[in-house]
Amino acid sequence: MIILGIDPGLANTGWGVIETSGSRFRCVAYGCVTTEGTMPLPARLTRIHESLCAVAAKYRPDEAAIESVYFSNNAKSAFATGQARGVAILAAHGMPLGEYGPGEIKLAVVGAGDADKHQVQYMVRVVLGLKDEPKPDHAADALAAAICHANSRARAALTGTAL
């Protein structure tokens, strides 16, 4: 099973591809789509969409996982992230898609829903057997979303429940 994880953001959209076999996870590739704040919004969204479509075409994932929008106190930032998330979902068209909150992803990877970025990067490195921690942190978060999805699939299979 190949899973594409996505950490959406207008300035930085992280992506990560993992392969699962039973309880084993292997990192296939990861990266980050960056857009400049000086670019018009449609061009930024187009870059994110086209880049994620290229990743999907290259690695042919079976399923995708995406982080949901964390609203916090900044509505403008949440709205921009929501737009990036929308084009990311469009890029995953045709794939079963799991959606997970930031705390849910951190809990699945680190064991604590309030883990910081460094803890997530460290545990992603450990779980995937990487030599170095994945950078930037947006890519690590995308890999963490994919790991969360793989764990959710395994849990659903064990309990006989649907995702």
Side-chain angles (χ1 to χ4, degrees):
M1 168 77 57
I2 305 289
I3 301 170
L4 169 63
I6 303 169
D7 176 39
L10 188 57
N12 297 289
T13 292
W15 60 269
V17 180
I18 67 168
E19 181 177 21
T20 66
S21 178
S23 62
R24 292 185 166 188
F25 303 145
R26 181 179 73 84
C27 179
V28 176
Y30 61 87
C32 187
V33 182
T34 300
T35 67
E36 296 78 32
T38 57
M39 294 173 65
L41 178 62
R44 295 176 85 179
L45 296 173
T46 298
R47 178 180 290 172
I48 293 165
H49 180 259
E50 289 176 350
S51 297
L52 292 176
C53 283
V55 168
K58 181 173 183 176
Y59 297 106
R60 304 224 178 261
D62 301 297
E63 297 187 5
I66 191 166
E67 186 173 311
S68 61
V69 176
Y70 178 67
F71 191 33
S72 187
N73 296 326
N74 190 338
K76 185 177 179 182
S77 175
F79 187 68
T81 301
Q83 291 174 312
R85 189 172 179 276
V87 297
I89 290 170
L90 185 61
H93 175 73
M95 287 179 242
L97 177 70
E99 301 180 55
Y100 306 94
E104 188 177 6
I105 293 170
K106 291 173 182 178
L107 183 63
V109 176
V110 178
D114 62 348
D116 66 30
K117 295 267 184 202
H118 300 292
Q119 291 171 305
V120 172
Q121 286 175 305
Y122 173 78
M123 285 307 298
V124 166
R125 179 183 68 79
V126 170
V127 168
L128 296 176
L130 299 171
K131 181 180 171 188
D132 299 307
E133 292 178 2
K135 293 186 179 172
D137 57 354
H138 306 288
D141 289 347
L143 288 167
I147 293 167
C148 177
H149 184 71
N151 286 337
S152 293
R153 290 186 92 264
R155 196 169 37 257
L158 287 173
T159 61
T161 58
L163 277 180

